[in-house]
Amino acid sequence: MGQLIVQKYGGSSVADPEKIKNVARRVAESAAPDHRMVVVVSAMGKTTDGLLALAAAITSNPDPREMDMLLATGEQVTVGLLAMALQSLGRPACSFTGPQVGLYTDEVHTRARIKRITAERISAALDAGKIVVVAGFQGMTEQGDITTLGRGGSDLTGVALAAALKADVCEIFTDVDGVYTADPNVVPDARKLARVSYDEMLEMASLGAKVLQSRSVEFAKKYGVSVHVRSTFKPDPGTLVTREDHSMEEAVVTGITHDRGQAKVSILRVPDRPGIAAQVFGGLGAQSIVVDMIVQNISRDGLTDISFTLPRADRQRAERVLAGLAREIGAEGVVADDRVAKVSIVGVGMRSHAGVAARMFTTMSKEGINIQMISTSEIAVSCVIEDKYTELAVRALHDTFELGRERD
Ligand code: ADP
Ligand code: ASP
Ligand code: MG
């Protein structure tokens, strides 16, 4: 009995008709006669960004349901074209949207969570000998409204279908040939990792390594799906994201990540009394604004500053909410800064090594980079710095922790 293979191709891999034909050839090559193939695709190139810009040209406050109606169109274009390209190669193929394959989600538009996948039409089409092409990034509520799964969400569609169909292989094809020790577009001597554990990948993804969407890694870990990240344009094996095991590298730090999509907001001279933080973050939470790092100083004169980071796209909304709140609680005011970036070091080896954070801070200080905020987890340390130093910081940290390719 042949294998059931799920492949996902990202936006840059299907950016134009030639690239779609190339993907069709690649799929056809993988599709040995007794294999069953399910192919998930993203919107072409920067289509999703274009759709977001269109919405922004209409309103600064789009209705999330309508936003999903708009965003889901991108992937529908690609599935139709890829199915045609496969048919042109003489391969029977059939495309489906997320709703058509029974991908049900909750009602949180623009970042919905998957609840269940029925996949009846996929199974029927596979039984009929077809290559099944599925639109990534989209699903529907139990009421039948279209939803999307958050930016980068086609990765999640791929992993979730692999879990639901009990696929033998889940391959994520992209424009780099695997998961690297840092973004290879920023660090020229970054090294490809042969294997990386779910926990490290999850931390890297949530701290900015957009090669995999973090929720897709969470899902892969939960259902034990091994994910192979590899290049659309080269045949070489890529990186296996899988359970931690002894054959993995034993470096203290596995990778350096950066995230330029954040902003920093501070509420100045807040009265230091019980309930204030609850009021501030409760107010933001009520508007579905997710904050990341939070820092509160000790107070000297009964007043303190509270700073936090959040996705840059939510900054204006947060400022509006906080302006009202600041008046209510008697704070002096609110200031925001978009020119920040978060740089992080990640590695399971940190669990058992001391002094790793100190090496990070020393590197920053040697480069003359001021650290504005710090946060840590069991396997990561992150610093918020001025945006213009991002590349410098990532490269310097990559050197400090000796992550580069072995030089001959
Ligand atoms: P796709 O369109 O295929 O989903 P993405 O643009 O979402 O691709 O993700 C691939 C990009 O992720 C790469 O082009 C690379 O710049 C970036 N990236 C960031 N960090 C890493 C990393 N550690 N390893 C590999 N790629 C990374
Ligand atoms: N097209 C969506 C995005 O750009 C989903 C994806 O590419 O994974 O975020
Ligand atoms: Mg992506």
Side-chain angles (χ1 to χ4, degrees):
M1 177 79 176
Q3 294 189 323
L4 199 162
I5 299 174
V6 174
Q7 296 187 333
K8 175 260 170 179
Y9 292 87
S12 45
S13 305
V14 292
D16 58 42
E18 276 317 309
K19 290 193 166 133
I20 291 178
K21 289 186 197 168
N22 170 57
V23 165
R25 280 191 294 273
R26 186 95 199 228
V27 171
E29 278 162 24
S30 319
D34 58 346
H35 284 176
R36 288 170 296 157
M37 299 287 299
V38 176
V39 184
V40 175
V41 280
S42 295
M44 293 169 68
K46 302 213 173 298
T47 299
T48 308
D49 292 335
L51 294 170
L52 284 165
L54 272 177
I58 300 282
T59 166
S60 64
N61 193 18
D63 179 66
R65 179 189 182 278
E66 304 312 327
M67 191 59 132
D68 277 349
M69 187 62 101
L70 172 70
L71 293 184
T73 61
E75 272 66 12
Q76 198 173 331
V77 171
T78 325
V79 286
L81 292 173
L82 180 59
M84 288 176 205
L86 284 162
Q87 289 164 359
S88 305
L89 296 175
R91 296 300 187 128
C94 180
S95 68
F96 295 109
T97 64
Q100 282 179 316
V101 301
L103 194 153
Y104 287 94
T105 72
D106 64 14
E107 278 116 58
V108 185
H109 284 285
T110 76
R111 49 168 185 272
R113 283 189 173 272
I114 297 177
K115 285 168 62 181
R116 62 194 172 93
I117 304 179
T118 60
E120 283 148 17
R121 299 203 60 184
I122 297 184
S123 305
L126 288 174
D127 289 346
K130 299 212 163 121
I131 295 175
V132 174
V133 183
V134 181
F137 180 53
Q138 48 174 264
M140 71 170 167
T141 65
E142 298 289 345
Q143 291 74 41
D145 283 326
I146 294 177
T147 51
T148 62
L149 309 176
R151 295 307 305 268
S154 297
D155 295 335
L156 178 57
T157 306
V159 171
L161 284 178
L165 298 165
K166 301 193 170 46
D168 297 284
V169 185
C170 176
E171 292 172 306
I172 304 284
F173 287 88
T174 184
D175 60 350
V176 286
D177 26 352
V179 179
Y180 278 70
T181 48
D183 186 339
N185 290 315
V186 170
V187 181
D189 77 336
R191 191 166 47 86
K192 185 167 79 183
L193 299 162
R195 297 160 76 89
V196 61
S197 69
Y198 291 125
D199 288 337
E200 281 175 315
M201 192 63 235
L202 188 55
E203 202 82 19
M204 284 174 73
S206 51
L207 292 173
K210 66 171 182 160
V211 60
L212 280 179
Q213 188 214 29
S214 61
R215 278 160 106 191
S216 73
V217 185
E218 217 170 64
F219 203 100
K221 180 181 177 187
K222 186 165 170 196
Y223 293 96
V225 179
S226 282
V227 176
H228 184 185
V229 180
R230 57 192 303 192
S231 166
T232 304
F233 309 103
K234 292 187 203 158
D236 322 0
T239 302
L240 200 63
V241 184
T242 186
R243 244 177 272 287
E244 204 173 315
D245 71 33
H246 299 299
S247 70
M248 285 182 184
E249 299 187 29
E250 296 201 345
V252 178
V253 169
T254 306
I256 314 291
T257 63
H258 66 279
D259 181 352
R260 298 187 112 146
Q262 298 221 316
K264 186 177 83 169
V265 177
S266 303
I267 317 169
L268 305 174
R269 302 192 62 76
V270 182
D272 191 12
R273 57 167 196 263
I276 293 287
Q279 211 173 331
V280 167
F281 294 106
L284 292 168
Q287 299 297 316
S288 304
I289 297 172
V290 181
V291 306
D292 181 17
M293 271 189 215
I294 302 174
V295 172
Q296 179 179 335
N297 289 330
I298 50 163
S299 72
R300 292 217 163 165
D301 45 6
L303 297 172
T304 182
D305 297 338
I306 300 178
S307 297
F308 58 89
T309 59
L310 78 177
R312 206 171 281 176
D314 289 338
R315 202 253 303 152
Q316 280 176 324
R317 239 160 27 97
E319 275 186 290
R320 278 200 290 272
V321 175
L322 291 175
L325 265 168
R327 270 194 303 277
E328 261 172 53
I329 60 181
E332 193 180 280
V334 178
V335 291
D337 187 356
D338 272 354
R339 290 161 311 158
V340 296
K342 182 165 65 178
V343 174
S344 313
I345 58 176
V346 177
V348 286
M350 274 186 233
R351 288 186 193 132
S352 51
H353 284 80
V356 184
R359 281 174 76 194
M360 178 181 199
F361 306 149
T362 306
T363 305
M364 302 297 229
S365 102
K366 273 196 194 140
E367 299 294 338
I369 302 170
N370 186 41
I371 301 171
Q372 303 180 11
M373 293 164 103
I374 298 170
S375 78
T376 61
S377 78
E378 199 191 4
I379 61 165
V381 184
S382 304
C383 295
V384 171
I385 59 170
E386 199 179 332
D387 183 61
K388 67 179 183 195
Y389 296 121
T390 311
E391 273 109 357
L392 176 63
V394 173
R395 288 181 195 142
L397 290 167
H398 200 262
D399 278 349
T400 295
F401 292 101
E402 297 173 1
L403 296 175
R405 258 173 282 181
E406 261 131 67
R407 281 163 251 245
D408 355 83

